[in-house]
Amino acid sequence: SFTPCQHQHTCAHALRTHLTSSMSVSRATMLLTIVALPEAFGLLLTTGAPVRTAMWQAAAVGQSRARSQMFFMQAVETKKSQAVETKKPLAITEQDIYTVQRKWADAVVSIGETFSSGGDYVTAALDAAFDLYAFKERGTILFKPTRCRDVPFRPTPEDALSYFIGAEHGNKYPEDTGFAIQPWSAVNFETHGFDVNGDTAIAMGHYFFTDAHTKAITKVEYTFGYRKYNEGVKIILQHSSVPFNPDPAPAKHPKVVVAENSQPKSISINISL
């Protein structure tokens, strides 16, 4: 247990020293980030409980949105730091593309189901993002989601997660309501064509999203770019847009009525809409 001290940073140093003696530095740093708050230090100083028990209690206390966001951002940074060694190019196949499309569709549905059931949808979305997209391999990707106007391009994992699970996560863009947590009960791909070139490929077509509540189907156009790494095929480009919808009620053209007056060579024009 720890004895009282006057300065919080002294407590932090003592806690870090104790933790790193029994676990990895990276894990100790992550746990220290969670408990390095005034009330967490108060808990450690007053209860006299073992360090691991106090940290468990601090983590339970830290379920507020602010602390969840802190842990979320730390988890993102941890995944980004896990660099992957890329060896010689691996040939990508059309079957690889079909497989990753199915995985993407299943992930969108699963995140929505987890959200609806009160589960940990944030972790589900985080895992799906790094499993499906090449954030770990490249750092950033080319991503233009469907429902973005103010910030249309989302190259980082924080950008993408804000779009998929809402503005209170990731980079907190106000326009994001959480595409994956709408939720959807089904996602189906209809591929127009492929362009396969070695370890990369491009696919274009439609995908159809079935609303879990209304059963209404939304048709969206897509272009995906893929690259095959040692861990499998990852998305390096995604562009989505709704089909073009011309104005169903075009503006009326003015109706011009020409009438001759009784006076010679005098014409009046009345315009009605």
Side-chain angles (χ1 to χ4, degrees), residues 11-122:
C11 293
H13 176 73
L15 179 57
R16 186 188 300 274
T17 301
H18 180 87
L19 292 174
T20 53
S21 66
S22 59
M23 63 180 70
S24 68
V25 174
S26 61
R27 179 162 176 79
T29 301
M30 179 181 292
L31 293 173
L32 182 62
T33 301
I34 298 174
V35 301
L37 300 167
E39 58 267 44
F41 276 99
L43 180 64
L44 290 172
L45 295 174
T46 58
T47 61
V51 173
R52 293 186 185 277
T53 301
M55 291 184 65
W56 176 264
Q57 294 171 341
V61 172
Q63 292 303 309
S64 67
R65 180 172 297 178
R67 296 175 198 172
S68 296
Q69 177 68 13
M70 183 186 302
F71 183 81
F72 171 79
M73 298 304 293
Q74 182 65 39
V76 171
E77 291 301 319
T78 299
K79 283 188 175 288
K80 288 166 66 176
S81 67
Q82 296 172 345
V84 174
E85 179 185 358
T86 302
K87 300 179 181 179
K88 63 180 181 180
L90 304 171
I92 193 170
T93 67
E94 291 188 5
Q95 185 57 51
D96 289 331
I97 297 172
Y98 288 129
T99 299
V100 75
Q101 286 179 344
R102 188 69 264 155
K103 288 175 61 179
W104 190 94
D106 291 344
V108 170
V109 173
S110 178
I111 292 168
E113 290 175 344
T114 303
F115 171 79
S116 298
S117 64
D120 186 2
Y121 68 97
V122 176

